[in-house]
Amino acid sequence: MKNETAVAFTGVTRHFGPVRAVDGIDLTIRRGETVALLGRNGAGKSTTIGLLLGLDEPDGGEVRLFGDTPARAVAAGRTGAMLQDGRPVPRVTVRELVTFVARTYPEPLPVAEALALAGLTELAGRRVDRLSGGQVQRVRFAVALAGNPELIVLDEPTAALDVEAREAFWDSMRGYARRGNTVLFSTHYLEEADAHADRIVVIDSGRVLADGTGEELKRAAGGSLVAFDLAGGPSEGLDLLPGVTSLEIRGDRARLHTDDSDATVRALAERDAIRGLEVAPVSLNDAFLALTARAPGAHTRPLETTR
Amino acid sequence: MITEYVRLEVRRTLRDTGFAIGTVAVPVMMYLLFTNLGGQNEEAWRTASMVGMAAYGALGAALSVGPGVAEDKSSGWLRQLRITPMTPRQVVTGRALTGSVVVLPAIVGVLLAGGLVNGVHLAAWQWAAVSLTLWLGSLPFTLLGIGNGYRLTAQTTGVVNIACNLGLAVLGGLWFPVSLFPGWLRSLSAYTPTNRFAELGVSIADGHAPAAAALAVVAVWAALFGAYATVSYRRSAKTA
């Protein structure tokens, strides 16, 4: 029977001195899924990816790719990756580089197809170290998919790309995912995670804070946002109103996260606190901030403020 | 898989203009200069210097693997190679093979200058045997280069490389005959890998088999540099 799990992290930890870069991550990615690893800079995304690819060993826990160790899955040609760091390889052409990488894999894509998928057909004869930043990024993508791997891992693939190049990149990525491949990409852009992934895994301080679709994350963070002008009125007790999950005061305006906006609005009406009342679904950005603020160790940046 | 890798790395090396000038043009020019100045142009010196300068070119080309590896380490290319199905052992082997391919232009270049410009006369088998000996004998220096590349940063590799290159070349008598050295330096020179490396080639050009001592010294250095390369590689694999 075919193993349906592409990636499995079980209680994985990785410490660098006192820094817990990865602090107990459990994560399962099924075959064919496109998953975004969403977090701020320094949240542990790149360390997680390094562990996944076997570039680094965990201090605790276990990483499995297709039921095997990362090293063996990599040696079997089941993964391809686009790493974040690094300059382009000097003195090779795009075609030479992609051809070489493809031939290290057992069942690669035809080189012309890999180049076309990454939008590099026109640039195939150019030297990699003489391309623009956006073009180099496309070369990295071509290198990741040249071997036709089942799992492709992209570490911040759109960093340093302009809007147009970014759109083109996501088109290519979707083209690759549509062939039934598994894609894991990391990003700190919420919109990208929401628009291009089936599932978003939010990580912060080396832990998984939330895992689900964009909609699920918004719901988990409190489905709606109810805002109104305090107009000098008291803010005490607002966080105890029905449905309210968290409270935020910005100047004279109170913003209530609520999972039952009807009940919250009714209660506000009873307190006659409805000046400038506004009810809106929570944005993914709000959801992200709410999730990361609740994380252990994040007490220094609470969303709730009372003045 | 390794063949593909070697092909790619050889291309990258040969496209480096600095490499072509430093390891082919410079030894050829030095050879022509040293053998046509100051009346030192008897046949024996032209032949010995030809072998010495070919050895010097091969030394430079073999050591140049070091900065190449260091550059690949800092540019992230080695990390990228680690996530291809190539095993680390294949990558290192490929690098060593690359070193043994890129020494050829230097050896061929100087031997051609000797045969065509300086009129060095050797039998066909001698030309072949000298080329082959210089080619195989450059292996210890490739291993030294690989060791430097994995152990050191890109900048320090460059400096250490030049130090190894000039030190081993001069001390080993590749530039000037050791007969010009004071006695103590001459005896020291006999233990250098470069001196014995050239000696292998010179004895063949003179028409007799290389001395066992020369073979032994080169073999010991090959083992030492091989161990150095292995240790450096293992250490860098842990940190990179």
Side-chain angles (χ1 to χ4, degrees):
Chain A
M1 206 185 93
K2 239 181 156 188
N3 190 339
E4 289 305 310
T5 305
V7 178
F9 274 62
T10 324
V12 173
T13 57
R14 180 73 178 104
H15 300 180
F16 297 105
V19 182
R20 297 174 164 195
V22 169
D23 192 15
I25 283 189
D26 292 291
L27 175 65
T28 305
I29 298 173
R30 289 179 299 278
R31 277 167 189 261
E33 272 190 307
T34 298
V35 175
L37 206 55
L38 177 66
R40 292 181 249 259
N41 290 329
K45 302 189 295 288
S46 291
T47 308
T48 305
I49 285 176
L51 291 168
L52 189 152
L53 295 169
L55 289 171
D56 195 5
E57 295 282 325
D59 292 319
E62 191 182 62
V63 182
R64 283 284 176 269
L65 297 187
F66 303 102
D68 216 335
T69 63
R72 258 181 285 172
V74 167
R78 306 182 82 165
T79 60
M82 178 170 166
L83 299 175
Q84 191 188 352
D85 50 352
R87 303 186 301 275
V89 210
R91 303 185 296 279
V92 280
T93 67
V94 174
R95 182 182 285 109
E96 285 164 0
L97 180 62
V98 174
T99 306
F100 158 69
V101 173
R103 289 191 183 158
T104 62
Y105 283 81
E107 290 165 35
L109 286 180
V111 171
E113 199 178 335
L115 291 173
L117 261 173
L120 288 168
T121 309
E122 312 280 300
L123 300 171
R126 297 270 297 277
R127 265 173 60 165
V128 175
D129 45 356
R130 292 183 185 158
L131 298 177
S132 74
Q135 291 166 336
V136 169
Q137 206 73 337
R138 268 142 73 189
V139 173
R140 292 213 178 102
F141 183 56
V143 163
L145 60 78
N148 198 19
E150 294 160 76
L151 167 69
I152 192 167
V153 180
L154 314 167
D155 195 1
E156 307 228 346
T158 59
L161 289 190
D162 59 35
V163 180
E164 215 170 306
R166 203 168 278 185
E167 285 310 309
F169 171 81
W170 289 118
D171 281 345
S172 310
M173 195 280 291
R174 266 195 299 270
Y176 195 73
R178 240 181 273 126
R179 298 154 164 257
N181 294 307
T182 313
V183 179
L184 174 70
F185 68 88
S186 72
T187 180
H188 53 254
Y189 296 115
L190 298 148
E191 304 77 18
E192 283 193 348
D194 199 23
H196 305 292
D198 304 328
R199 205 177 120 199
I200 302 173
V201 175
V202 179
I203 71 168
D204 199 48
S205 313
R207 288 163 176 264
V208 174
L209 299 185
D211 182 347
T213 63
E215 281 309 311
E216 283 165 357
L217 295 193
K218 287 176 207 172
R219 241 177 287 142
S224 321
L225 190 67
V226 175
F228 66 97
D229 291 331
L230 284 170
S235 60
E236 289 82 37
L238 286 177
D239 50 345
L240 301 174
L241 294 181
V244 173
T245 53
S246 70
L247 164 70
E248 189 187 346
I249 311 282
R250 285 188 192 164
D252 193 37
R253 202 158 168 81
R255 292 155 58 85
L256 308 172
H257 285 267
T258 169
D259 48 22
D260 186 350
S261 55
D262 293 353
T264 308
V265 169
R266 241 178 268 125
L268 284 176
E270 275 164 29
R271 286 173 66 138
D272 196 24
I274 52 170
R275 179 178 297 183
L277 185 76
E278 194 181 12
V279 181
V282 152
S283 72
L284 194 59
N285 194 37
D286 286 327
F288 177 71
L289 288 175
L291 283 167
T292 50
R294 271 184 225 156
H299 308 298
T300 45
R301 291 175 282 102
L303 275 184
E304 292 182 59
T305 46
T306 35
R307 251 180 284 177
Chain B
M1 210 186 278
I2 285 194
T3 343
E4 292 296 327
Y5 179 55
V6 172
R7 188 179 300 171
L8 185 85
E9 293 296 356
V10 167
R11 273 184 180 151
R12 288 184 55 207
T13 311
L14 297 183
R15 277 181 197 153
D16 187 347
T17 351
F19 173 85
I21 294 173
T23 66
V24 186
V26 168
V28 168
M29 283 183 337
M30 280 172 73
Y31 168 60
L32 293 176
L33 215 64
F34 288 5
T35 49
N36 290 290
L37 282 181
Q40 289 188 335
N41 47 11
E42 66 271 24
E43 167 110 30
W45 167 237
R46 286 202 303 264
T47 308
S49 175
M50 174 182 79
V51 175
M53 277 302 157
Y56 170 63
L59 169 69
L63 284 175
S64 77
V65 172
V69 168
E71 184 189 21
D72 289 353
K73 199 166 55 179
S74 68
S75 75
W77 175 231
L78 285 186
R79 258 171 98 79
Q80 188 69 47
L81 285 173
R82 281 181 64 192
I83 51 176
T84 68
M86 283 220 297
T87 62
R89 189 187 293 259
Q90 285 174 318
V91 173
V92 183
T93 314
R95 266 299 187 174
L97 290 174
T98 305
S100 60
V101 174
V102 299
V103 298
L104 285 172
I107 296 172
V108 171
V110 177
L111 294 190
L112 278 178
L116 299 178
V117 182
N118 273 0
V120 172
H121 293 291
L122 292 180
W125 72 267
Q126 281 174 311
W127 284 115
V130 168
S131 312
L132 191 69
T133 307
L134 290 174
W135 183 46
L136 295 177
S138 64
L139 177 71
F141 308 109
T142 306
L143 295 172
L144 174 61
I146 288 180
N148 287 341
Y150 278 109
R151 167 151 307 207
L152 311 168
T153 65
Q155 282 104 337
T156 44
T157 311
V159 177
V160 169
N161 218 37
I162 292 173
C164 288
N165 194 356
L166 296 184
L168 287 173
V170 173
L171 212 58
L174 300 187
W175 285 13
F176 312 104
V178 280
S179 52
L180 300 178
F181 289 179
W184 62 271
L185 195 57
R186 212 179 309 159
S187 26
L188 182 67
S189 180
Y191 292 100
T192 60
T194 31
N195 177 267
R196 297 304 192 144
F197 172 40
E199 187 190 326
L200 294 179
V202 171
S203 45
I204 292 171
D206 287 348
H208 48 80
L215 276 172
V217 170
V218 171
V220 167
W221 280 105
L224 279 177
F225 290 150
Y228 172 61
T230 311
V231 170
S232 301
Y233 171 73
R234 290 225 176 105
R235 191 202 258 190
S236 98
K238 267 182 219 151
T239 52

Coordinates of all heavy atoms in Angstrom, one line a residue, chain A residues 53-55 74-77 79 81 83 85-93 96-97 100-101 103-106 127 143, chain B residues 1 4-8 11-13 15-17 71-72 74-77 79-87 237 240:
Chain A
L53 N 14.8 18.6 5.3 CA 15.6 18.2 4.2 C 16.8 17.4 4.6 O 17.6 17.0 3.8 CB 16.0 19.4 3.4 CG 14.9 20.1 2.7 CD1 15.4 21.5 2.1 CD2 14.3 19.3 1.6
G54 N 17.0 17.2 6.0 CA 18.1 16.5 6.4 C 19.4 17.3 6.4 O 20.5 16.8 6.5
L55 N 19.3 18.6 6.2 CA 20.5 19.5 6.2 C 21.0 19.7 7.7 O 22.1 20.1 7.9 CB 20.2 20.8 5.6 CG 20.0 20.9 4.1 CD1 19.5 22.2 3.7 CD2 21.3 20.5 3.4
V74 N 15.9 12.0 0.3 CA 16.7 12.9 -0.6 C 17.5 12.1 -1.6 O 17.5 12.3 -2.8 CB 17.6 13.9 0.2 CG1 18.6 14.6 -0.7 CG2 16.7 14.9 1.0
A75 N 18.2 11.0 -1.0 CA 19.0 10.2 -1.9 C 18.2 9.5 -3.0 O 18.7 9.2 -4.0 CB 19.8 9.2 -1.0
A76 N 16.9 9.2 -2.6 CA 16.1 8.5 -3.6 C 15.4 9.5 -4.6 O 14.7 9.1 -5.4 CB 15.0 7.7 -2.8
G77 N 15.7 10.8 -4.4 CA 15.2 11.7 -5.4 C 13.7 12.1 -5.2 O 13.1 12.4 -6.2
T79 N 12.6 14.5 -3.2 CA 12.4 15.9 -2.8 C 13.2 16.8 -3.7 O 14.3 16.4 -4.2 CB 12.8 16.1 -1.3 OG1 14.2 15.8 -1.2 CG2 12.0 15.3 -0.4
A81 N 14.3 21.2 -3.6 CA 14.1 22.3 -2.7 C 14.7 23.6 -3.3 O 15.7 23.5 -4.0 CB 14.7 22.0 -1.3
L83 N 16.3 26.8 -1.6 CA 16.7 27.3 -0.4 C 16.8 28.8 -0.4 O 16.9 29.4 -1.5 CB 18.1 26.8 0.0 CG 18.2 25.2 0.1 CD1 19.7 24.8 0.3 CD2 17.3 24.8 1.2
D85 N 19.0 31.0 1.3 CA 20.2 31.7 1.3 C 21.0 31.3 0.0 O 20.7 30.5 -0.8 CB 21.1 31.3 2.5 CG 21.1 29.7 2.6 OD1 20.4 29.1 1.9 OD2 21.9 29.2 3.5
G86 N 22.1 32.1 -0.2 CA 23.0 31.7 -1.3 C 22.9 32.6 -2.5 O 21.9 33.2 -2.9
R87 N 24.1 32.7 -3.2 CA 24.2 33.4 -4.4 C 24.1 32.4 -5.6 O 24.3 31.2 -5.3 CB 25.5 34.1 -4.5 CG 25.8 35.1 -3.3 CD 27.1 35.8 -3.5 NE 28.2 35.0 -3.6 CZ 28.9 34.5 -2.6 NH1 28.5 34.8 -1.3 NH2 30.0 33.7 -2.7
P88 N 23.9 32.9 -6.8 CA 23.8 31.9 -7.9 C 25.2 31.3 -8.1 O 26.2 31.9 -7.9 CB 23.4 32.8 -9.1 CG 23.7 34.2 -8.6 CD 23.5 34.2 -7.2
V89 N 25.2 30.1 -8.6 CA 26.5 29.4 -9.0 C 27.2 30.1 -10.1 O 26.5 30.3 -11.2 CB 26.2 27.9 -9.5 CG1 27.4 27.0 -9.1 CG2 24.9 27.4 -9.0
P90 N 28.4 30.5 -10.0 CA 29.1 31.2 -11.0 C 29.4 30.3 -12.2 O 29.7 29.1 -12.1 CB 30.3 31.8 -10.4 CG 30.3 31.4 -9.0 CD 29.3 30.3 -8.8
R91 N 29.5 31.0 -13.4 CA 30.1 30.4 -14.6 C 29.4 29.1 -15.1 O 30.0 28.2 -15.6 CB 31.6 30.1 -14.4 CG 32.4 31.4 -14.1 CD 33.9 31.1 -14.0 NE 34.2 30.1 -13.0 CZ 34.3 30.4 -11.7 NH1 34.2 31.7 -11.3 NH2 34.6 29.5 -10.8
V92 N 28.0 29.1 -15.0 CA 27.3 28.0 -15.7 C 26.1 28.7 -16.3 O 25.6 29.7 -15.8 CB 26.7 26.9 -14.8 CG1 27.8 25.9 -14.5 CG2 26.1 27.4 -13.6
T93 N 25.6 28.1 -17.4 CA 24.3 28.6 -18.0 C 23.1 28.0 -17.3 O 23.3 26.9 -16.7 CB 24.3 28.3 -19.5 OG1 24.1 26.9 -19.7 CG2 25.5 28.8 -20.2
E96 N 22.7 24.4 -18.5 CA 23.7 23.5 -18.0 C 23.3 23.1 -16.5 O 23.4 21.9 -16.2 CB 25.1 24.1 -18.0 CG 25.7 24.1 -19.4 CD 26.9 25.1 -19.5 OE1 27.2 25.7 -18.4 OE2 27.5 25.2 -20.5
L97 N 23.0 24.1 -15.8 CA 22.7 23.9 -14.4 C 21.4 23.0 -14.2 O 21.5 22.0 -13.5 CB 22.4 25.2 -13.7 CG 22.1 25.1 -12.2 CD1 23.3 24.5 -11.4 CD2 21.8 26.5 -11.6
F100 N 22.1 19.4 -15.4 CA 22.9 18.7 -14.4 C 22.0 18.2 -13.2 O 22.1 17.0 -12.9 CB 24.1 19.5 -13.8 CG 24.6 19.0 -12.5 CD1 25.2 17.8 -12.4 CD2 24.3 19.8 -11.4 CE1 25.7 17.4 -11.2 CE2 24.7 19.3 -10.1 CZ 25.4 18.1 -10.0
V101 N 21.3 19.1 -12.6 CA 20.5 18.7 -11.5 C 19.5 17.6 -11.9 O 19.3 16.6 -11.2 CB 19.7 19.9 -10.9 CG1 18.8 19.5 -9.8 CG2 20.7 20.9 -10.3
R103 N 19.7 15.3 -14.1 CA 20.4 14.0 -14.2 C 20.8 13.4 -13.0 O 21.2 12.2 -13.0 CB 21.5 14.2 -15.2 CG 21.1 14.4 -16.6 CD 22.1 14.3 -17.6 NE 21.6 14.6 -18.9 CZ 22.3 15.0 -19.9 NH1 23.6 15.2 -19.8 NH2 21.7 15.3 -21.1
T104 N 20.8 14.1 -11.9 CA 21.1 13.4 -10.6 C 19.9 12.7 -10.1 O 20.0 11.9 -9.1 CB 21.6 14.4 -9.5 OG1 20.5 15.4 -9.2 CG2 22.8 15.2 -10.0
Y105 N 18.7 12.9 -10.6 CA 17.5 12.3 -10.2 C 17.1 11.0 -11.0 O 17.5 11.0 -12.2 CB 16.3 13.2 -10.3 CG 16.3 14.3 -9.1 CD1 17.1 15.4 -9.2 CD2 15.4 14.1 -8.0 CE1 17.1 16.3 -8.1 CE2 15.4 15.0 -7.0 CZ 16.2 16.1 -7.1 OH 16.2 17.0 -6.0
P106 N 16.5 10.1 -10.5 CA 16.2 8.8 -11.2 C 15.1 9.1 -12.3 O 15.3 8.5 -13.4 CB 15.6 7.9 -10.2 CG 15.2 8.7 -9.0 CD 16.1 9.9 -9.0
R127 N 24.2 33.0 -18.7 CA 24.9 32.5 -17.5 C 24.1 32.9 -16.2 O 23.7 34.1 -16.1 CB 26.3 33.1 -17.5 CG 27.3 32.1 -18.1 CD 28.6 32.6 -18.3 NE 29.2 33.1 -17.0 CZ 30.5 33.4 -16.8 NH1 31.3 33.2 -17.9 NH2 31.0 33.8 -15.7
V143 N 15.6 24.5 -10.5 CA 16.5 23.5 -9.9 C 15.7 22.6 -9.0 O 15.9 21.4 -8.9 CB 17.6 24.3 -9.2 CG1 18.3 23.3 -8.2 CG2 18.6 24.8 -10.2
Chain B
M1 N 26.2 9.9 -12.8 CA 25.9 11.0 -12.0 C 27.2 11.8 -11.7 O 27.2 13.0 -11.9 CB 25.3 10.5 -10.7 CG 24.4 11.5 -10.1 SD 23.9 10.9 -8.4 CE 22.6 9.7 -8.9
E4 N 28.5 13.6 -14.8 CA 27.8 14.9 -15.0 C 28.3 16.0 -14.1 O 28.5 17.1 -14.6 CB 26.3 14.7 -14.7 CG 25.5 13.8 -15.7 CD 25.5 14.4 -17.1 OE1 25.5 15.6 -17.2 OE2 25.6 13.6 -18.0
Y5 N 28.5 15.6 -12.9 CA 29.0 16.6 -11.9 C 30.4 17.1 -12.3 O 30.7 18.3 -12.3 CB 29.0 16.0 -10.5 CG 29.5 17.0 -9.5 CD1 28.9 18.2 -9.3 CD2 30.6 16.6 -8.7 CE1 29.4 19.1 -8.4 CE2 31.1 17.5 -7.7 CZ 30.5 18.8 -7.6 OH 31.0 19.6 -6.6
V6 N 31.3 16.2 -12.7 CA 32.6 16.5 -13.1 C 32.6 17.4 -14.3 O 33.3 18.5 -14.4 CB 33.5 15.3 -13.4 CG1 34.8 15.7 -14.0 CG2 33.7 14.5 -12.1
R7 N 31.7 17.1 -15.3 CA 31.6 17.9 -16.5 C 31.2 19.4 -16.1 O 31.8 20.3 -16.7 CB 30.6 17.3 -17.4 CG 30.5 18.0 -18.8 CD 29.5 17.3 -19.6 NE 29.7 15.9 -19.9 CZ 28.9 15.0 -20.4 NH1 27.7 15.5 -20.8 NH2 29.2 13.8 -20.6
L8 N 30.2 19.5 -15.2 CA 29.8 20.8 -14.8 C 30.9 21.6 -14.2 O 31.2 22.8 -14.5 CB 28.6 20.7 -13.9 CG 27.9 22.0 -13.5 CD1 26.9 22.4 -14.5 CD2 27.2 21.9 -12.1
R11 N 33.7 22.6 -16.6 CA 33.3 23.8 -17.4 C 33.5 25.1 -16.6 O 34.0 26.1 -17.0 CB 31.8 23.6 -17.7 CG 31.6 22.9 -19.0 CD 30.1 22.9 -19.3 NE 29.8 22.2 -20.5 CZ 28.7 21.5 -20.7 NH1 27.7 21.6 -19.8 NH2 28.5 20.9 -21.8
R12 N 33.0 25.0 -15.3 CA 33.0 26.2 -14.5 C 34.5 26.6 -14.3 O 34.8 27.8 -14.3 CB 32.4 25.9 -13.1 CG 30.9 25.8 -13.2 CD 30.3 25.6 -11.8 NE 30.7 26.6 -10.9 CZ 30.9 26.5 -9.6 NH1 30.6 25.4 -9.0 NH2 31.2 27.6 -8.9
T13 N 35.4 25.7 -14.1 CA 36.8 26.0 -13.8 C 37.4 26.6 -15.1 O 38.1 27.6 -15.0 CB 37.6 24.8 -13.4 OG1 36.8 24.1 -12.4 CG2 38.9 25.1 -12.9
R15 N 36.1 28.1 -17.5 CA 35.6 29.4 -17.9 C 36.1 30.6 -17.0 O 35.9 31.7 -17.2 CB 34.1 29.4 -17.7 CG 33.4 28.8 -18.9 CD 31.9 28.9 -18.8 NE 31.3 27.9 -19.8 CZ 30.2 27.3 -19.6 NH1 29.5 27.5 -18.5 NH2 29.8 26.5 -20.5
D16 N 36.9 30.2 -16.0 CA 37.5 31.2 -15.1 C 38.8 31.7 -15.7 O 39.8 31.0 -15.8 CB 37.7 30.5 -13.8 CG 38.2 31.5 -12.7 OD1 38.5 32.7 -13.1 OD2 38.2 31.1 -11.5
T17 N 38.7 33.0 -16.2 CA 39.9 33.5 -16.9 C 41.1 33.5 -16.0 O 42.3 33.2 -16.4 CB 39.7 35.0 -17.4 OG1 38.3 35.3 -17.2 CG2 40.0 35.1 -18.8
E71 N 34.5 28.8 -2.3 CA 33.5 29.6 -2.9 C 32.1 28.9 -2.9 O 31.1 29.6 -2.6 CB 34.0 29.9 -4.3 CG 33.1 30.9 -5.1 CD 33.5 31.0 -6.6 OE1 34.1 30.1 -7.1 OE2 33.1 32.1 -7.2
D72 N 32.1 27.7 -3.3 CA 30.9 26.9 -3.3 C 30.2 26.8 -1.9 O 29.0 26.7 -1.8 CB 31.1 25.5 -3.9 CG 31.4 25.6 -5.4 OD1 31.3 26.7 -5.9 OD2 31.8 24.6 -5.9
S74 N 30.5 29.1 0.5 CA 29.9 30.3 0.9 C 28.8 30.7 0.0 O 27.9 31.4 0.5 CB 31.0 31.4 0.9 OG 31.4 31.7 -0.4
S75 N 28.7 30.3 -1.2 CA 27.6 30.7 -2.1 C 26.4 29.8 -1.9 O 25.3 30.1 -2.4 CB 28.1 30.6 -3.6 OG 28.1 29.2 -4.0
G76 N 26.5 28.8 -1.1 CA 25.3 27.9 -0.9 C 25.2 26.8 -1.9 O 24.3 26.0 -1.8
W77 N 26.1 26.7 -2.8 CA 26.1 25.6 -3.9 C 26.3 24.3 -3.2 O 25.6 23.3 -3.6 CB 27.1 25.9 -5.0 CG 27.2 24.9 -6.0 CD1 28.4 24.3 -6.4 CD2 26.2 24.3 -6.9 NE1 28.2 23.5 -7.5 CE2 26.9 23.4 -7.8 CE3 24.8 24.5 -6.9 CZ2 26.1 22.7 -8.7 CZ3 24.1 23.7 -7.9 CH2 24.8 22.9 -8.8
R79 N 25.4 23.4 -0.2 CA 24.1 23.0 0.4 C 23.1 22.5 -0.6 O 22.4 21.6 -0.4 CB 23.5 24.3 1.1 CG 23.7 24.3 2.6 CD 23.3 25.7 3.1 NE 22.0 25.7 3.7 CZ 21.7 25.2 4.9 NH1 22.6 24.7 5.6 NH2 20.5 25.3 5.3
Q80 N 23.0 23.2 -1.7 CA 22.1 22.9 -2.8 C 22.4 21.4 -3.3 O 21.5 20.6 -3.5 CB 22.2 23.9 -3.9 CG 21.1 23.7 -5.0 CD 19.7 24.0 -4.5 OE1 19.5 25.0 -3.9 NE2 18.7 23.1 -4.8
L81 N 23.7 21.1 -3.4 CA 24.1 19.8 -3.8 C 23.7 18.7 -2.8 O 23.4 17.6 -3.2 CB 25.6 19.7 -4.0 CG 26.2 20.4 -5.3 CD1 27.7 20.4 -5.2 CD2 25.7 19.7 -6.5
R82 N 23.7 19.1 -1.5 CA 23.3 18.1 -0.5 C 21.8 17.7 -0.6 O 21.4 16.7 -0.1 CB 23.6 18.7 0.9 CG 25.0 18.6 1.3 CD 25.3 19.1 2.6 NE 24.6 18.3 3.7 CZ 24.5 18.7 4.9 NH1 25.0 19.9 5.3 NH2 23.9 18.0 5.8
I83 N 21.0 18.6 -1.2 CA 19.6 18.2 -1.4 C 19.3 17.6 -2.7 O 18.1 17.4 -3.1 CB 18.6 19.3 -1.0 CG1 19.0 20.6 -1.7 CG2 18.6 19.5 0.5 CD1 18.0 21.7 -1.5
T84 N 20.3 17.3 -3.5 CA 20.1 16.5 -4.7 C 20.4 15.0 -4.3 O 21.0 14.8 -3.2 CB 21.1 16.9 -5.9 OG1 22.4 16.5 -5.5 CG2 21.0 18.3 -6.2
P85 N 20.0 14.1 -5.1 CA 20.3 12.7 -4.7 C 21.8 12.3 -4.7 O 22.1 11.2 -4.3 CB 19.5 11.9 -5.8 CG 18.5 12.8 -6.3 CD 19.1 14.2 -6.3
M86 N 22.7 13.2 -5.1 CA 24.1 12.9 -5.0 C 24.5 12.7 -3.6 O 24.1 13.6 -2.7 CB 24.9 14.0 -5.7 CG 25.0 14.0 -7.2 SD 26.6 14.3 -7.8 CE 26.8 16.0 -7.2
T87 N 25.3 11.7 -3.3 CA 25.7 11.5 -1.9 C 26.9 12.4 -1.6 O 27.6 12.8 -2.6 CB 26.2 10.1 -1.6 OG1 27.3 9.8 -2.5 CG2 25.0 9.1 -1.9
A237 N 31.1 19.2 7.0 CA 29.8 18.6 6.8 C 29.0 18.7 8.0 O 27.8 18.8 8.0 CB 29.9 17.1 6.4
A240 N 28.3 22.9 8.0 CA 27.6 23.6 6.9 C 26.2 23.3 6.8 O 25.7 22.2 7.0 CB 28.3 23.2 5.6

